Amino acid sequence: MPALFTSEVQPPSRVSQAINRFGGRTLIYAVLIIGCILTVTPFVWTILASFKTHAEIIDPAQRTFLPREFTFSNYQTIFSDPSLPLARFYANSLFVALSNVVIHTFTSSLFGYVFAKFEFRFKRVLFAYILATLMIPFQLTMIPSYLILLQFNLTNNLLGLVALSWFNAFGIFLMRQFMQSIPDELLDAARVDGASEWTIYARIVIPQVLPALATFGILVFISNWNAYLWPLIVLQDVDVRTLPIILTWYNDRHTSDLGLQMAASILIVMPILVVYLFLQRWVVRGFTLSGFKG
């Protein structure tokens, strides 16, 4: 037969494979860079705008991305405002956020351990019920929750933002998935050595899931730090309110000064950034570990 019909298809050369890989990586990096720029730019603009005057922000003739002249007057005005005791509001938000972090991480890890490593009656039914609660919108339970707090005289009290936060369905699911990857032989060996279940939980199980626990704790902290609707309903007095409510109140009082609004927003967001920067390695490990098995 002619050579035209007998020749075999040659595999792509190493050079062409390298070019294809380089092109694919370049496209991925380009998409990631564009996504990062689109995500970070509004926040960077907010930081820079906090160092601008109101006129420079709103006047098209003066408007630039970088401040023409950095000014700290916005921050000085906020710190010297007697009607805005930031230390008290920071303390309120920290109390609510940290209390919920401690409670949620403890109960979620404990229940996750029970559902992952123990067998008992109606286990699957109970776990399915917990997962089903994830589909119930908060707005549906908001009024009953408020009436419960009213009965216990916990409205207008920071404890009201903690009292009903003992269980987190997503946290229980997350911890269970991670704890299922812990070998049963390790736990059985500890039991043979005489360790109690609490000792196994505290000294063996928890160290194994620290990345997941840290990731979940950060998510709980951010969620409670940024919470607005529920604290707005529970807390009426200004002295006990948290920072997101105070930010709205402060912006309503200074609608004519965008520089002050940007500075106040940065002061409220900064603690979340600090927490994330210190714990980001745990977040990365928590999302990269193969905890969602089974």
Side-chain angles (χ1 to χ4, degrees), residues 145-155:
S145 299
Y146 180 78
L147 294 177
I148 292 173
L149 294 180
L150 201 61
Q151 290 294 324
F152 288 94
N153 198 26
L154 288 176
T155 57

Side-chain angles (χ1 to χ4, degrees), residues 13-289:
S13 64
R14 293 184 178 180
V15 175
S16 61
Q17 289 178 355
I19 292 175
N20 291 334
R21 285 198 299 268
F22 177 77
R25 289 179 181 177
T26 303
L27 179 62
I28 292 174
Y29 289 147
V31 172
L32 290 176
I33 290 172
I34 293 173
C36 289
I37 292 174
L38 293 176
T39 303
V40 173
T41 298
F43 181 66
V44 173
W45 184 88
T46 304
I47 295 176
L48 296 175
S50 68
F51 295 100
K52 299 178 182 179
T53 61
H54 177 72
E56 187 177 347
I57 295 175
I58 65 171
D59 188 358
Q62 304 182 47
R63 190 179 300 159
T64 57
F65 189 73
L66 293 175
R68 293 176 178 270
E69 184 177 347
F70 278 84
T71 175
F72 292 91
S73 60
N74 295 322
Y75 291 97
Q76 292 172 352
T77 302
I78 292 175
F79 286 124
S80 61
D81 190 346
S83 65
L84 188 68
L86 279 178
R88 179 184 301 166
F89 299 132
Y90 270 114
N92 293 344
S93 290
L94 279 175
F95 172 79
V96 174
L98 292 179
S99 297
N100 280 288
V101 167
V102 172
I103 293 171
H104 283 183
T105 52
F106 171 69
T107 57
S108 297
S109 60
L110 184 62
F111 278 81
Y113 173 52
V114 171
F115 279 110
K117 296 301 179 183
F118 288 85
E119 292 295 332
F120 52 91
R121 199 175 183 185
F122 303 122
K123 170 183 173 179
R124 295 183 182 276
V125 175
L126 288 174
F127 188 68
Y129 171 76
I130 291 174
L131 292 183
T133 61
L134 289 172
M135 306 181 69
I136 301 175
F138 172 71
Q139 291 79 2
L140 191 64
T141 61
M142 193 164 53
I143 295 177
S145 299
Y146 180 78
L147 294 177
I148 292 173
L149 294 180
L150 201 61
Q151 290 294 324
F152 288 94
N153 198 26
L154 288 176
T155 57
N156 207 27
N157 190 325
L158 291 175
L159 291 176
L161 302 179
V162 181
L164 301 181
S165 302
W166 289 94
F167 303 102
N168 187 296
F170 171 75
I172 295 173
F173 168 76
L174 181 69
M175 291 298 105
R176 173 195 178 259
Q177 297 302 100
F178 269 85
M179 289 176 181
Q180 279 186 328
S181 63
I182 300 176
D184 292 333
E185 293 79 7
L186 182 64
L187 307 183
D188 292 336
R191 294 187 182 101
V192 171
D193 289 339
S196 65
E197 293 299 335
W198 284 106
T199 302
I200 295 173
Y201 163 77
R203 297 189 178 183
I204 298 178
V205 175
I206 293 300
Q208 296 288 328
V209 296
L210 269 182
L213 203 60
T215 303
F216 175 61
I218 293 174
L219 295 177
V220 173
F221 182 89
I222 293 174
S223 174
N224 284 275
W225 185 272
N226 292 332
Y228 178 79
L229 181 59
W230 183 235
L232 180 65
I233 295 173
V234 175
L235 308 175
Q236 287 83 40
D237 291 346
V238 175
D239 291 344
V240 295
R241 286 188 164 179
T242 53
L243 284 170
I245 306 174
I246 294 301
L247 175 63
T248 303
W249 168 78
Y250 191 77
N251 288 345
D252 288 341
R253 292 184 57 196
H254 298 86
T255 54
S256 60
D257 196 329
L258 292 179
L260 278 178
Q261 294 182 28
M262 297 301 104
S265 301
I266 293 301
L267 288 174
I268 291 175
V269 171
M270 198 55 64
I272 297 178
L273 266 184
V274 172
V275 170
Y276 177 76
L277 289 176
F278 275 103
L279 299 177
Q280 62 175 329
R281 67 186 185 94
W282 292 101
V283 176
V284 173
R285 287 183 61 188
F287 281 117
T288 53
L289 286 175

